[in-house]
Short mmCIF file of all heavy atoms in Angstrom, two decimals:
data_model
loop_
_atom_site.label_atom_id
_atom_site.label_comp_id
_atom_site.label_asym_id
_atom_site.label_seq_id
_atom_site.Cartn_x
_atom_site.Cartn_y
_atom_site.Cartn_z
N LYS P 215 13.10 13.04 -7.29
CA LYS P 215 13.87 12.98 -6.04
C LYS P 215 13.31 12.00 -5.02
O LYS P 215 14.05 11.47 -4.20
CB LYS P 215 13.91 14.37 -5.39
CG LYS P 215 14.73 15.39 -6.16
CD LYS P 215 14.84 16.68 -5.37
CE LYS P 215 13.78 17.64 -5.84
NZ LYS P 215 13.75 18.91 -5.22
N GLU P 216 12.00 11.79 -5.02
CA GLU P 216 11.33 10.97 -4.00
C GLU P 216 10.65 9.76 -4.64
O GLU P 216 10.13 9.86 -5.76
CB GLU P 216 10.27 11.81 -3.27
CG GLU P 216 10.79 13.03 -2.54
CD GLU P 216 11.59 12.69 -1.29
OE1 GLU P 216 11.47 11.55 -0.78
OE2 GLU P 216 12.33 13.57 -0.82
N ALA P 217 10.62 8.67 -3.92
CA ALA P 217 9.97 7.44 -4.40
C ALA P 217 8.46 7.53 -4.09
O ALA P 217 7.96 6.97 -3.14
CB ALA P 217 10.58 6.21 -3.72
N ILE P 218 7.77 8.27 -4.94
CA ILE P 218 6.34 8.51 -4.76
C ILE P 218 5.55 7.28 -5.21
O ILE P 218 5.81 6.72 -6.27
CB ILE P 218 5.90 9.77 -5.56
CG1 ILE P 218 6.65 11.01 -5.09
CG2 ILE P 218 4.39 9.95 -5.50
CD1 ILE P 218 6.39 11.43 -3.67
N ASP P 219 4.56 6.89 -4.38
CA ASP P 219 3.72 5.74 -4.68
C ASP P 219 2.36 6.14 -5.27
O ASP P 219 1.80 5.42 -6.06
CB ASP P 219 3.45 4.93 -3.40
CG ASP P 219 4.73 4.48 -2.75
OD1 ASP P 219 5.47 3.70 -3.36
OD2 ASP P 219 5.00 4.92 -1.61
N LEU P 220 1.85 7.26 -4.80
CA LEU P 220 0.51 7.72 -5.20
C LEU P 220 0.56 9.21 -5.52
O LEU P 220 1.13 9.99 -4.75
CB LEU P 220 -0.49 7.48 -4.06
CG LEU P 220 -1.88 8.13 -4.22
CD1 LEU P 220 -2.63 7.58 -5.42
CD2 LEU P 220 -2.69 7.94 -2.94
N VAL P 221 -0.02 9.58 -6.65
CA VAL P 221 -0.11 11.00 -7.03
C VAL P 221 -1.58 11.32 -7.26
O VAL P 221 -2.27 10.60 -7.98
CB VAL P 221 0.66 11.28 -8.34
CG1 VAL P 221 0.55 12.75 -8.74
CG2 VAL P 221 2.12 10.86 -8.21
N THR P 222 -2.06 12.38 -6.61
CA THR P 222 -3.37 12.92 -6.98
C THR P 222 -3.07 14.15 -7.84
O THR P 222 -2.25 14.98 -7.47
CB THR P 222 -4.23 13.30 -5.76
OG1 THR P 222 -3.62 14.37 -5.05
CG2 THR P 222 -4.44 12.10 -4.84
N MET P 223 -3.73 14.23 -8.98
CA MET P 223 -3.34 15.21 -9.99
C MET P 223 -4.54 15.97 -10.53
O MET P 223 -5.48 15.38 -11.04
CB MET P 223 -2.67 14.45 -11.16
CG MET P 223 -2.23 15.30 -12.31
SD MET P 223 -0.75 16.28 -11.98
CE MET P 223 0.51 15.02 -11.84
N ASP P 224 -4.46 17.31 -10.42
CA ASP P 224 -5.44 18.16 -11.09
C ASP P 224 -5.07 18.20 -12.56
O ASP P 224 -3.92 17.92 -12.94
CB ASP P 224 -5.39 19.56 -10.46
CG ASP P 224 -6.51 20.47 -10.98
OD1 ASP P 224 -7.55 19.96 -11.43
OD2 ASP P 224 -6.34 21.70 -10.91
N ILE P 225 -5.98 18.56 -13.43
CA ILE P 225 -5.68 18.64 -14.87
C ILE P 225 -5.33 20.06 -15.27
O ILE P 225 -4.31 20.31 -15.90
CB ILE P 225 -6.85 18.13 -15.72
CG1 ILE P 225 -7.01 16.63 -15.53
CG2 ILE P 225 -6.61 18.45 -17.21
CD1 ILE P 225 -8.13 16.03 -16.33
N ASN P 226 -6.21 21.01 -14.94
CA ASN P 226 -6.04 22.38 -15.42
C ASN P 226 -5.19 23.18 -14.46
O ASN P 226 -5.65 23.60 -13.42
CB ASN P 226 -7.41 23.04 -15.59
CG ASN P 226 -8.27 22.29 -16.60
OD1 ASN P 226 -7.79 21.86 -17.64
ND2 ASN P 226 -9.52 22.10 -16.28
N MET P 227 -3.92 23.37 -14.86
CA MET P 227 -2.96 24.13 -14.06
C MET P 227 -2.12 24.97 -14.99
O MET P 227 -2.00 24.67 -16.19
CB MET P 227 -2.04 23.19 -13.27
CG MET P 227 -2.77 22.32 -12.26
SD MET P 227 -1.63 21.25 -11.34
CE MET P 227 -1.16 20.06 -12.60
N PRO P 228 -1.50 26.01 -14.46
CA PRO P 228 -0.56 26.77 -15.30
C PRO P 228 0.60 25.87 -15.72
O PRO P 228 0.94 24.93 -15.00
CB PRO P 228 -0.05 27.89 -14.37
CG PRO P 228 -0.97 27.92 -13.21
CD PRO P 228 -1.62 26.56 -13.13
N GLY P 229 1.18 26.15 -16.88
CA GLY P 229 2.27 25.29 -17.36
C GLY P 229 1.71 24.05 -18.01
O GLY P 229 0.63 24.07 -18.59
N ILE P 230 2.41 22.96 -17.85
CA ILE P 230 1.94 21.72 -18.50
C ILE P 230 0.69 21.20 -17.79
O ILE P 230 0.49 21.43 -16.61
CB ILE P 230 3.03 20.63 -18.55
CG1 ILE P 230 3.41 20.14 -17.16
CG2 ILE P 230 4.24 21.10 -19.30
CD1 ILE P 230 4.34 18.93 -17.18
N SER P 231 -0.13 20.50 -18.55
CA SER P 231 -1.39 19.98 -17.97
C SER P 231 -1.10 18.82 -17.03
O SER P 231 -0.03 18.20 -17.09
CB SER P 231 -2.30 19.49 -19.09
OG SER P 231 -1.87 18.22 -19.57
N GLY P 232 -2.07 18.52 -16.20
CA GLY P 232 -1.95 17.39 -15.31
C GLY P 232 -1.81 16.07 -16.06
O GLY P 232 -1.12 15.17 -15.61
N LEU P 233 -2.45 15.98 -17.21
CA LEU P 233 -2.33 14.74 -18.00
C LEU P 233 -0.90 14.56 -18.50
O LEU P 233 -0.34 13.47 -18.43
CB LEU P 233 -3.31 14.73 -19.17
CG LEU P 233 -4.79 14.62 -18.79
CD1 LEU P 233 -5.67 14.68 -20.04
CD2 LEU P 233 -5.08 13.35 -18.00
N ALA P 234 -0.29 15.65 -18.99
CA ALA P 234 1.10 15.57 -19.47
C ALA P 234 2.04 15.27 -18.31
O ALA P 234 2.97 14.46 -18.43
CB ALA P 234 1.50 16.86 -20.16
N ALA P 235 1.81 15.92 -17.18
CA ALA P 235 2.65 15.67 -16.00
C ALA P 235 2.49 14.23 -15.51
O ALA P 235 3.47 13.55 -15.19
CB ALA P 235 2.31 16.66 -14.88
N GLY P 236 1.25 13.76 -15.47
CA GLY P 236 0.99 12.38 -15.05
C GLY P 236 1.65 11.36 -15.95
O GLY P 236 2.22 10.37 -15.48
N GLU P 237 1.60 11.63 -17.25
CA GLU P 237 2.24 10.73 -18.21
C GLU P 237 3.75 10.65 -17.94
O GLU P 237 4.34 9.56 -17.91
CB GLU P 237 1.97 11.22 -19.63
CG GLU P 237 2.57 10.33 -20.71
CD GLU P 237 2.23 10.79 -22.11
OE1 GLU P 237 1.90 11.99 -22.31
OE2 GLU P 237 2.28 9.94 -23.01
N ARG P 238 4.37 11.80 -17.71
CA ARG P 238 5.82 11.86 -17.43
C ARG P 238 6.14 11.16 -16.10
O ARG P 238 7.13 10.42 -16.00
CB ARG P 238 6.29 13.30 -17.41
CG ARG P 238 7.76 13.47 -17.15
CD ARG P 238 8.60 13.01 -18.35
NE ARG P 238 10.01 13.12 -18.03
CZ ARG P 238 10.86 12.09 -17.99
NH1 ARG P 238 10.45 10.88 -18.30
NH2 ARG P 238 12.12 12.28 -17.69
N ILE P 239 5.31 11.36 -15.10
CA ILE P 239 5.52 10.73 -13.79
C ILE P 239 5.46 9.21 -13.93
O ILE P 239 6.28 8.49 -13.36
CB ILE P 239 4.49 11.25 -12.76
CG1 ILE P 239 4.90 12.69 -12.37
CG2 ILE P 239 4.41 10.34 -11.55
CD1 ILE P 239 3.83 13.46 -11.61
N LEU P 240 4.52 8.71 -14.72
CA LEU P 240 4.42 7.26 -14.91
C LEU P 240 5.61 6.71 -15.69
O LEU P 240 5.99 5.55 -15.49
CB LEU P 240 3.10 6.90 -15.60
CG LEU P 240 1.87 7.04 -14.69
CD1 LEU P 240 0.59 6.88 -15.51
CD2 LEU P 240 1.91 6.03 -13.55
N GLN P 241 6.23 7.53 -16.53
CA GLN P 241 7.46 7.10 -17.19
C GLN P 241 8.59 6.99 -16.17
O GLN P 241 9.41 6.07 -16.23
CB GLN P 241 7.85 8.09 -18.31
CG GLN P 241 6.93 8.05 -19.49
CD GLN P 241 7.12 9.22 -20.45
OE1 GLN P 241 7.84 10.18 -20.15
NE2 GLN P 241 6.46 9.16 -21.58
N LEU P 242 8.64 7.95 -15.23
CA LEU P 242 9.68 7.96 -14.21
C LEU P 242 9.45 6.89 -13.14
O LEU P 242 10.40 6.30 -12.62
CB LEU P 242 9.75 9.33 -13.54
CG LEU P 242 10.21 10.49 -14.39
CD1 LEU P 242 9.89 11.82 -13.73
CD2 LEU P 242 11.71 10.38 -14.65
N ARG P 243 8.18 6.69 -12.77
CA ARG P 243 7.82 5.75 -11.69
C ARG P 243 6.68 4.86 -12.18
O ARG P 243 5.52 5.08 -11.85
CB ARG P 243 7.35 6.52 -10.45
CG ARG P 243 8.36 7.47 -9.91
CD ARG P 243 9.03 6.91 -8.68
NE ARG P 243 9.99 7.89 -8.20
CZ ARG P 243 11.24 7.60 -7.95
NH1 ARG P 243 11.70 6.40 -8.10
NH2 ARG P 243 12.07 8.53 -7.51
N PRO P 244 6.99 3.85 -12.99
CA PRO P 244 5.94 3.02 -13.59
C PRO P 244 5.01 2.35 -12.58
O PRO P 244 3.88 2.03 -12.92
CB PRO P 244 6.72 1.98 -14.40
CG PRO P 244 8.07 2.55 -14.60
CD PRO P 244 8.33 3.48 -13.45
N LYS P 245 5.47 2.14 -11.37
CA LYS P 245 4.63 1.46 -10.37
C LYS P 245 3.76 2.44 -9.58
O LYS P 245 2.91 2.02 -8.79
CB LYS P 245 5.50 0.66 -9.41
CG LYS P 245 6.16 -0.49 -10.13
CD LYS P 245 6.88 -1.41 -9.19
CE LYS P 245 7.24 -2.60 -9.96
NZ LYS P 245 8.13 -3.45 -9.84
#
Side-chain angles (χ1 to χ4, degrees):
K215 291 186 263 180
E216 300 288 343
I218 300 296
D219 302 297
L220 169 63
V221 180
T222 65
M223 179 75 68
D224 187 24
I225 291 180
N226 300 318
M227 297 181 288
I230 66 172
S231 78
L233 291 178
E237 181 177 23
R238 181 71 183 119
I239 286 167
L240 287 171
Q241 290 167 352
L242 293 165
R243 302 258 180 231
K245 293 188 169 154

